[in-house]
Amino acid sequence: MPRTDRVSLTREALAIPAVDHLSNNGTLNVLLDRTLSGLPSGLPPDRTMVGLFMNFVRLTDKALREYDAARAELLVYVSPHPGLRISPYLRAIDHMENCVSATHRAVLNARALRENKVGRGAPTLTQRQEERLKFLRNAVEHSDEKILGKQKYKSSPIFDKSDPHSLRLSNTSMVIGPHILTYKELVSAMAKCHRTIEKIRGVPTGTPSPDFPNAKLRTTVDDATRGPSGLRPSDYLRELTRLVVTHS
């Protein structure tokens, strides 16, 4: 990878893939599965596995929303504008940190599910992908120790004076300390998590789907602005769907 792609951030060279082919409403689909028709076909009626799966789906949705928000802020930052405007870049860093953390947690949940024979046959991260994601996530979460020169593990070096001490977003990748993760690698990890969810839910492979307007599905959109659906849920159904999120 050219060094400039790890340092520079320009409108012409920014290459951050969209994730509109991956719905970030997976949790809602699973809640409908559980509320209306029972557990997904690939999930055993076991409290531990149901808890892992629900966290896995929610974290995958969170990662996709945070990535989409980071991407939107970066596009705003590099767009032509008069004067100095740094706020979108700072917000992009915040969202990307959240995305990396949520993706890493989702991958751990997916691994735990596979080890218990749930979701086998779904695509998995390569060892290199998983390590690069883990190292970058750990550097973000423990940046205070790295800046102070504390090294607890040989595989987790401290930050050099020339290393970025906070997440730096560039044209094709993000960098912190000596660790690099490309946007393509991050999107690949999220896509594999998304496909694992479909595998467990029993969605047939190759099922065609449209692009999802994820930018309109963020948590900042108030459901009240979507207009009436014609449905009037009972208080019981409202409470049931809320508790399904956190209880097996």
Side-chain angles (χ1 to χ4, degrees), residues 137-147 159:
R137 176 265 177 195
N138 290 346
V140 168
E141 295 294 331
H142 301 285
S143 59
D144 55 330
E145 298 173 5
K146 311 282 185 200
I147 294 172
F159 291 169

Side-chain angles (χ1 to χ4, degrees), residues 54-98:
M54 291 302 299
N55 275 343
F56 170 51
V57 178
R58 182 183 59 79
L59 288 167
T60 301
D61 282 352
K62 177 182 178 180
L64 288 166
R65 282 194 295 270
E66 293 291 343
Y67 176 87
D68 185 72
R71 181 176 182 272
E73 295 289 1
L74 272 186
L75 292 175
V76 169
Y77 176 70
V78 299
S79 64
H81 57 272
L84 180 65
R85 183 174 59 182
I86 195 67
S87 295
Y89 182 71
L90 296 176
R91 289 193 294 267
I93 291 175
D94 292 343
H95 287 303
M96 196 62 81
E97 283 186 346
N98 292 338

Side-chain angles (χ1 to χ4, degrees), residues 30 34 39-46 49-54 113 118 200-201:
V30 174
R34 293 186 60 190
L39 292 175
S41 59
L43 191 64
D46 176 84
M49 293 302 101
V50 172
L52 278 173
F53 181 64
M54 291 302 299
L113 287 166
V118 178
I200 296 171
R201 290 186 62 229

Side-chain angles (χ1 to χ4, degrees), residues 94-113:
D94 292 343
H95 287 303
M96 196 62 81
E97 283 186 346
N98 292 338
C99 175
V100 168
S101 176
T103 303
H104 180 256
R105 293 173 61 196
V107 168
L108 294 180
N109 277 266
R111 184 201 299 167
L113 287 166

